[in-house]
C-alpha cells in the first residue's frame, strides 16, 4: 500500500539553527500539507500546497517557515531560525484531490527537538 | 470556544464493552467530519468519515447532528487493540483539517 514517508524520524537542533524536514508524498497525490503536534496537545494545521504554491496557511506559519517541492517527489518544510517552542512532531500529509471530502494520508512524522 | 471540543477521557473499559465518544464543533459552516485514530507517538489515521445519515463500519458507528453541531462515535465489543486516542476532525470547506484534542480509550482484559 502506498504511504507517505518522512525523514528524519527525529531531529535535534540548537535554537537559532535552520532545519529542513523532508517528506515524500504518495506518488499520484497532488495536494500536500504540513501539520504539527506539540507534545500533549492537538494536531494543528500549518500549510497546504498545490501546483507549486501555498494554497492556505495558518497563523502559526509565519515568515520563519517555508515549504518547497524541489523535485517531482520531495516536499520540504524549512524552519529558518528555530525557537524552543518549535519543538513538536511535524506530520506531512497528502491527498489526491482538494476539498472537504478527500482523505488526507499522514506520514509517520518527524520529531523536532530544539535545545 | 474551541473549534472542536472533545472529552479528553481517559475512558477505561473492559474488553467487550460498548463505549461512546462525543464531539462538538463551533463553526456551523463546517462541511465534512471525520474520526481519526492516533496511537501513542504515531500519525493520525482515518477511522471513518461521518455523514448526516449516520454510517457504520463493522463495530464502529458514527453519527452527525448538524443542528446541534455534534458528532459521535460508538465502538461495540471493544478489543484491546482499540486502545488509542480518538480524534474528532472537521473540515471547514478548504484543505485545512481542524482537530480536536482527542479522547483516550484504554481497553483492559
Amino acid at each position: 500500500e502506498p504511504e507517505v514517508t518522512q525523514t528524519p524520524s527525529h531531529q535535534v537542533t540548537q535554537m537559532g539553527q535552520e532545519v529542513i524536514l523532508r517528506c515524500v508524498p504518495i506518488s499520484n497525490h497532488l495536494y500536500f500539507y504540513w501539520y504539527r503536534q506539540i507534545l500533549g496537545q492537538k494536531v494543528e494545521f500549518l500549510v497546504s500546497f498545490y501546483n507549486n504554491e501555498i494554497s492556505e496557511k495558518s497563523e502559526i506559519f509565519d515568515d520563519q517557515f517555508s515549504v518547497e517541492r524541489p523535485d517531482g517527489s520531495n516536499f520540504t518544510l524549512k524552519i529558518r531560525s528555530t525557537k524552543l517552542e518549535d519543538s513538536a512532531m511535524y506530520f506531512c500529509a497528502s491527498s489526491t484531490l482538494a476539498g472537504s471530502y478527500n482523505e488526507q494520508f499522514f506520514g509517520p512524522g518527524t520529531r523536532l527537538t530544539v535545545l | 470556544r474551541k473549534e472542536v471540543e472533545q472529552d479528553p477521557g481517559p475512558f477505561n473499559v473492559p474488553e467487550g464493552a460498548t463505549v461512546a465518544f462525543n464531539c462538538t464543533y463551533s463553526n456551523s459552516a463546517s462541511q465534512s467530519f471525520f474520526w481519526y485514530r492516533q496511537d501513542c507517538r504515531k500519525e493520525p489515521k482515518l477511522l471513518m468519515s461521518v455523514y448526516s445519515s449516520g454510517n457504520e463500519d463493522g463495530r464502529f458507528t458514527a453519527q452527525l447532528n448538524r443542528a446541534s453541531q455534534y458528532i459521535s462515535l460508538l465502538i461495540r465489543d471493544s478489543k484491546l487493540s482499540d486502545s488509542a486516542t480518538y480524534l474528532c476532525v472537521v473540515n471547514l470547506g478548504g484543505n485545512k483539517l481542524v482537530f480536536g484534542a482527542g479522547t483516550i480509550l484504554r481497553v483492559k482484559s
Side-chain angles (χ1 to χ4, degrees):
Chain A
E1 185 178 325
E3 55 185 22
V4 176
T5 60
Q6 291 185 242
T7 54
S9 56
H10 190 190
Q11 173 92 49
V12 181
T13 190
Q14 295 290 327
M15 193 168 55
Q17 295 297 303
E18 175 183 287
V19 294
I20 298 176
L21 310 183
R22 292 184 166 78
C23 168
V24 179
I26 294 173
S27 62
N28 64 337
H29 286 189
L30 301 176
Y31 294 83
F32 315 117
Y33 316 87
W34 284 101
Y35 292 80
R36 81 170 186 192
Q37 186 175 31
I38 295 170
L39 187 64
Q41 298 187 24
K42 64 179 183 177
V43 176
E44 299 174 289
F45 171 81
L46 293 178
V47 66
S48 61
F49 189 86
Y50 168 70
N51 200 25
N52 284 319
E53 288 185 348
I54 290 174
S55 48
E56 192 171 356
K57 62 181 181 179
S58 71
E59 293 172 354
I60 303 167
F61 195 88
D62 62 21
D63 291 346
Q64 72 160 343
F65 290 92
S66 62
V67 289
E68 192 179 32
R69 187 150 163 85
D71 53 43
S73 59
N74 289 284
F75 178 51
T76 61
L77 174 69
K78 183 193 289 187
I79 310 175
R80 260 179 273 283
S81 177
T82 50
K83 304 180 183 124
L84 294 175
E85 54 265 35
D86 293 328
S87 294
M89 183 74 97
Y90 287 81
F91 294 108
C92 174
S94 67
S95 63
T96 49
L97 301 170
S100 317
Y101 297 96
N102 289 290
E103 181 180 354
Q104 294 183 20
F105 293 82
F106 284 76
T110 292
R111 180 166 299 281
L112 176 64
T113 302
V114 182
L115 302 176
Chain B
R1 184 180 170 187
K2 291 180 185 175
E3 290 180 286
V4 179
E5 211 149 354
Q6 298 181 248
D7 180 346
F11 284 61
N12 295 301
V13 303
E15 273 186 293
T18 295
V19 62
F21 304 138
N22 303 319
C23 166
T24 57
Y25 59 95
S26 60
N27 193 326
S28 59
S30 300
Q31 294 198 0
S32 55
F33 311 88
F34 310 91
W35 283 101
Y36 274 72
R37 170 194 168 126
Q38 186 174 31
D39 292 289
C40 188
R41 295 178 179 265
K42 302 280 190 179
E43 73 272 26
K45 291 187 176 177
L46 180 67
L47 182 65
M48 57 199 305
S49 302
V50 189
Y51 305 113
S52 295
S53 54
N55 49 302
E56 187 173 309
D57 182 2
R59 297 182 294 108
F60 299 85
T61 301
Q63 293 276 356
L64 166 65
N65 184 322
R66 283 188 183 269
S68 305
Q69 295 180 204
Y70 170 93
I71 306 161
S72 65
L73 176 68
L74 184 77
I75 305 175
R76 288 180 297 278
D77 188 23
S78 299
K79 313 287 184 198
L80 293 175
S81 57
D82 293 335
S83 297
T85 299
Y86 289 83
L87 308 175
C88 179
V89 182
V90 168
N91 187 311
L92 299 179
N95 297 319
K96 166 187 167 182
L97 296 179
V98 180
F99 285 77
T103 298
I104 297 169
L105 173 65
R106 296 185 188 134
V107 182
K108 299 185 184 300
S109 58

